[in-house]
Amino acid sequence: MHRQLKAALMVTALLAALLGLLPVLLRILPLSGAAPRVPLAVWLLLGVAPYPALLAIGAWYVRRAEANETDAAATGAPAERP
């Protein structure tokens, strides 16, 4: 139970940091106010960059949850009630 909670809190912190830094990065990017078009860097930052990180974090969390379930089953711990 504690390992699963620790993993969940870690994933939440990573996601908050990843998505919370996007506005900061957009503010730092040098955007020209004269061009009415949105620069390619903004599209890449918002549309492409977060998804590989989200996929990696999600895959890590699923592997961690399965390992926790396997460990709990191996030790004969009673199943938790939902």
Side-chain angles (χ1 to χ4, degrees):
M1 167 83 176
H2 293 286
R3 288 189 297 176
Q4 189 69 22
L5 179 62
K6 182 180 174 184
L9 291 175
M10 186 180 300
V11 166
T12 302
L14 285 172
L15 289 175
L18 173 70
L19 298 177
L21 287 178
L22 283 177
V24 174
L25 291 174
L26 288 173
R27 183 72 174 157
I28 291 173
L29 283 175
L31 301 175
S32 64
R37 298 179 302 154
V38 178
L40 180 63
V42 172
W43 282 106
L44 290 176
L45 186 63
L46 290 176
V48 177
Y51 294 107
L54 291 173
L55 183 64
I57 291 170
W60 176 84
Y61 182 75
V62 168
R63 282 194 308 269
R64 176 53 94 184
E66 289 174 350
N68 287 339
E69 288 178 11
T70 303
D71 290 345
T75 59
E80 295 181 22
R81 295 182 182 152

